[in-house]
Amino acid sequence: MELDEVTISRAILASQMETMLDLLEMDVAVVGGGPSGITCAVYCAEMGLKVGLFEKKLSIGGGMWGGGMMFPRIVVQEEAKEVLDRFGIAAAAFEPGYYVARSVESVSKLTAAACTAGAEFFNLITVEDVVVRADGRVSGLVVNWSPVEMAGLHIDPLMVRCRAVVDATGHDATIAHMVARKGGDLPIRGEGFMWAERAEGNILDHTKEVFPGLYVCGMAANAVAGECRMGPIFGGMLLSGRRAAEMVAAALGH
Ligand code: 48F
């Protein structure tokens, strides 16, 4: 076959523009493509919600790609093993209740499942603000290309509308901080010390709607609640992402 360079360009532009126009209005906007965000996206999509995930970096995966100190392995405890099994992620038993999975396989299979279920991933896009109108709810995101932010260019963003936002931005709890900074009633207590048992045990209690229309999951949930961190054990991230999806789906009547 004879290749035409302009056809290649047209294919990319047409496909992505169609997707971006379609996703200007969605049910759930997940911010952050780490383990909790991807897990939230896959469950939301499987429940029939129209979901878009925004990740500011080039790659999806957040803190899961790097495993523990660049050893590309993650530990998952008994309670969350079912999530690994659900997505066909191989896990080797270590000591009773502790399983070890490959971080690259874990990210890849969760991401692939989310794509198959219909979630759209927007990498290289940074969420820089939220939309809150007279009803006092978070009802949209303000987004811009990450390279624009990195270069410090003064270029105005674009906006998307959604029925719920999930802050899955990890330790920084970026979206929650944005809301708090602008006067939203959202107290942020900040992350506590390393204490895996406590951090993992409490994370589901902290996974919730923290401001009308805004849910927190993963490490962002613990950071908002003043809860401890846990390091490279990832069961809490997976279960928190799933819990956030269930809460959003229930709130949106799915
Ligand atoms: O940090 P991250 O992996 O969050 P998580 O899902 O998982 C935490 C674990 O990786 C680990 C841990 C538990 O085992 O302690 O740290 O809670 O992923 C957060 C993602 O959000 C992106 C960021 O690049 C990262 O990939 N992110 C942060 N701020 C923004 C953003 C933003 N403003 N717009 C878009 N993406």
Side-chain angles (χ1 to χ4, degrees):
M1 102 184 232
E2 201 177 313
L3 290 175
D4 178 57
E5 294 84 358
V6 172
T7 303
I8 296 167
S9 302
R10 191 180 294 120
I12 289 171
L13 290 175
S15 171
Q16 190 61 14
M17 283 305 155
E18 189 186 343
T19 300
M20 291 177 92
L21 286 170
D22 182 38
L23 271 284
L24 281 177
E25 298 188 90
M26 64 186 104
D27 292 321
V28 195
V30 179
V31 189
S36 67
I38 312 171
T39 308
C40 182
V42 66
Y43 281 104
C44 281
E46 287 188 346
M47 286 186 279
L49 293 162
K50 186 175 176 184
V51 52
L53 183 150
F54 296 89
E55 166 54 53
K56 70 177 179 181
K57 294 190 177 153
L58 176 58
S59 62
I60 302 299
M64 193 143 85
W65 272 123
M69 211 175 128
M70 297 203 313
F71 295 97
R73 295 285 184 275
I74 61 166
V75 171
V76 170
Q77 64 274 50
E78 189 68 51
E79 290 83 347
K81 168 76 162 41
E82 58 172 304
V83 180
L84 298 182
D85 295 341
R86 168 85 171 65
F87 296 103
I89 300 166
F94 186 61
E95 290 183 7
Y98 291 80
Y99 296 89
V100 182
R102 291 179 290 199
S103 56
V104 170
E105 179 183 355
S106 305
V107 172
S108 303
K109 287 190 169 167
L110 284 167
T111 306
C115 290
T116 302
E120 276 298 338
F121 284 80
F122 298 101
N123 59 335
L124 286 172
I125 292 185
T126 296
V127 176
E128 61 167 61
D129 205 349
V130 294
V131 179
V132 178
R133 301 181 63 169
D135 63 1
R137 292 183 62 78
V138 174
S139 58
L141 295 177
V142 181
V143 299
N144 212 331
W145 302 115
S146 297
V148 166
E149 195 206 20
M150 289 161 74
L153 301 177
H154 188 170
I155 297 176
D156 267 320
L158 293 176
M159 284 64 67
V160 298
R161 184 175 296 140
C162 56
R163 298 167 70 204
V165 168
V166 178
D167 183 346
T169 60
H171 297 259
D172 294 338
T174 313
I175 309 304
H177 275 286
M178 282 171 191
V179 171
R181 237 187 346 261
K182 297 219 163 163
D185 181 15
L186 202 180
I188 299 177
R189 301 184 55 201
E191 183 183 302
F193 292 112
M194 174 70 75
W195 186 350
E197 159 70 15
R198 200 190 134 134
E200 290 283 293
N202 291 339
I203 194 166
L204 291 185
D205 288 339
H206 303 317
T207 302
K208 58 184 170 194
E209 187 176 24
V210 289
F211 187 84
L214 175 65
Y215 297 75
V216 285
C217 72
M219 201 51 222
N222 275 12
V224 168
E227 186 56 82
C228 294
R229 57 184 299 207
M230 71 289 287
I233 180 158
F234 282 79
M237 297 300 117
L238 306 177
L239 296 176
S240 174
R242 183 173 74 180
R243 172 67 63 87
E246 289 165 353
M247 286 177 166
V248 169
L252 300 188
H254 272 251

